[in-house]
Amino acid sequence: MEQNELPPPSTEDQRLPLVGRGLLALSLLSWCLLMYPLLSGGPLVLDEHCSYWIIDSDLPGSSLMRSLDYAAIPPLSSWIQIGFLKVLGKSELVFRLSSALCALGAIWITWLAGKEMRSPLTGGLAALMVAWHPEAMDEVRIARCYGLVLMLGAAVIWATIRWQRQPRSLGAALFWSFSSIALLWTHYTSALLVILSGLAVAVSCWWQRDLNR
């Protein structure tokens, strides 16, 4: 073996991507099973009536006004629900579908964030935690904004990791910015995640600047 030649990866290292993909597949299968109650199309619960009032009310005004002035949440999730109902028709299942699909997106993005850290096993385990989180699954099965919050929160974390690895990348900066803006336009309480992730990027850039001196 030459002096600069790297040793071949161990058998255990070669198995990690396979295990990570297996955990991702288990996470996606878990989502399918946990979302099965959506097919029953039961009547709307109280919180869902509030969500529907925002997008379809006899009162004058727009969904933007009702979201900001009465519901006290940003309107992004309501606008997505409007799109689903216009394209697929009005039903309980369609009304709830956007939230459930966003939860599916959160599982996938979480796995990608783990891969960004060069650890598919970490991504698989994190995706499984998202899929099996009991509080999250209860909330994303109804027509509320929390499925979108879950997906965009995962996107912000993924974007933060990418920006930390590529501090000079305009694409990474734009990805983080758009993900953060979309998250803030979904729920105000998500501001804490945006602030913490922004601080993480700032500290990482400052640390790398000192190392490069």
Side-chain angles (χ1 to χ4, degrees), residues 32-140:
C32 294
L33 295 175
L34 291 169
M35 293 300 113
Y36 182 76
L38 284 177
L39 299 178
S40 64
L44 301 182
V45 299
L46 179 60
D47 286 347
E48 290 178 306
H49 281 285
C50 296
S51 297
Y52 192 75
W53 175 82
I54 292 174
I55 65 177
D56 189 6
S57 174
D58 294 331
L59 295 177
S62 63
S63 59
L64 175 63
M65 184 196 72
R66 287 189 287 272
S67 294
L68 298 180
D69 295 345
Y70 297 99
I73 60 171
L76 183 57
S77 62
S78 296
W79 290 342
I80 293 175
Q81 289 169 345
I82 291 173
F84 269 72
L85 292 175
K86 285 186 176 180
V87 173
L88 300 177
K90 291 185 178 181
S91 70
E92 289 85 354
L93 174 60
V94 173
F95 190 39
R96 295 162 175 156
L97 187 59
S98 63
S99 180
L101 290 178
C102 284
L104 179 63
I107 294 171
W108 179 260
I109 292 173
T110 300
W111 182 72
L112 291 175
K115 283 188 63 181
E116 190 73 29
M117 300 174 68
R118 297 183 176 85
S119 178
L121 179 59
T122 299
L125 289 172
L128 196 62
M129 290 176 65
V130 172
W132 287 358
H133 195 295
E135 293 295 332
M137 290 303 105
D138 283 341
E139 294 296 333
V140 302

Side-chain angles (χ1 to χ4, degrees), residues 179-196:
S179 298
S180 298
I181 292 170
L183 182 58
L184 291 174
W185 268 83
T186 304
H187 208 291
Y188 295 127
T189 57
S190 304
L192 181 59
L193 175 60
V194 173
I195 292 171
L196 291 176

